[in-house]
Amino acid sequence: MKFFKGLFITALILGIIGYAGYYFFNKFIEDQAVEYVEKDLVENNDVAMARDYVDRSPALKSYIAEGAEADLEELPVQTREEATRMVMQKLSFQEMQQIQSKAANGMTEQEVLELMETFEEKLTEEELLALKAIVYKELYE
């Protein structure tokens, strides 16, 4: 009986350590991604390029403008960092890789609209409004 009790306790401890390691590893990866996004946007002047791109697309501009009047205090995420983490949790790794490769090669307006549809499928209305508000704030304020 002592053997089974010891085995159970050992398995329980290993399970807790494994779960904690998994949690902290995911948190580390999320932090690295947020840091990369922040650094990349500033260094490459991507905000100005993104603003120009949005301004040239009336459909995209009106879509993002829906977030102009939103009160971020009442929404699930308030900052770019929180939004990045939320999107990373909602999208699969493969979906994020596809988005990254499309963005690196330059996205057409149709591809951007398809991306918005993907977000509409994966996010709740409040989360989507929060993203629109954050993007609007980043681009125009």
Side-chain angles (χ1 to χ4, degrees):
M1 193 61 164
K2 279 187 167 185
F3 174 74
F4 290 117
K5 186 177 179 181
L7 185 63
F8 177 73
I9 291 173
T10 302
L12 183 64
I13 290 171
L14 288 176
I16 291 171
I17 290 171
Y19 177 76
Y22 176 78
Y23 173 80
F24 288 116
F25 179 73
N26 278 344
K27 188 75 169 151
F28 173 75
I29 294 298
E30 286 178 7
D31 290 342
Q32 292 297 317
V34 168
E35 187 176 310
Y36 175 78
V37 168
E38 288 285 319
K39 185 178 176 184
D40 191 50
L41 284 173
V42 172
E43 287 180 358
N44 295 328
N45 198 23
D46 286 344
V47 174
M49 290 173 31
R51 185 181 315 114
D52 291 340
Y53 185 85
V54 169
D55 287 342
R56 288 191 307 261
S57 170
L60 188 55
K61 188 170 185 172
S62 68
Y63 187 79
I64 292 172
E66 293 173 12
E69 300 299 319
D71 182 12
L72 281 173
E73 298 292 323
E74 298 176 5
L75 296 172
V77 293
Q78 288 83 32
T79 65
R80 185 181 342 163
E81 295 85 5
E82 292 173 347
T84 303
R85 283 190 175 92
M86 178 187 64
V87 169
M88 288 179 66
Q89 291 171 352
K90 299 285 183 163
L91 297 177
S92 70
F93 185 70
Q94 183 180 12
E95 289 171 320
M96 288 188 292
Q97 282 183 320
Q98 289 173 348
I99 292 169
Q100 192 276 334
S101 69
K102 285 181 182 179
N105 296 329
M107 295 177 77
T108 65
E109 186 174 348
Q110 182 61 32
E111 290 174 325
V112 172
L113 295 174
E114 290 171 6
L115 177 60
M116 292 184 323
E117 288 176 13
T118 300
F119 284 138
E120 288 174 352
E121 293 171 3
K122 301 281 183 171
L123 303 175
T124 66
E125 290 292 323
E126 284 186 330
E127 291 168 339
L128 194 57
L129 182 59
L131 279 183
K132 290 175 188 178
I134 291 168
V135 169
Y136 186 86
K137 178 182 158 193
E138 292 290 327
L139 292 179
Y140 297 107
E141 293 180 7

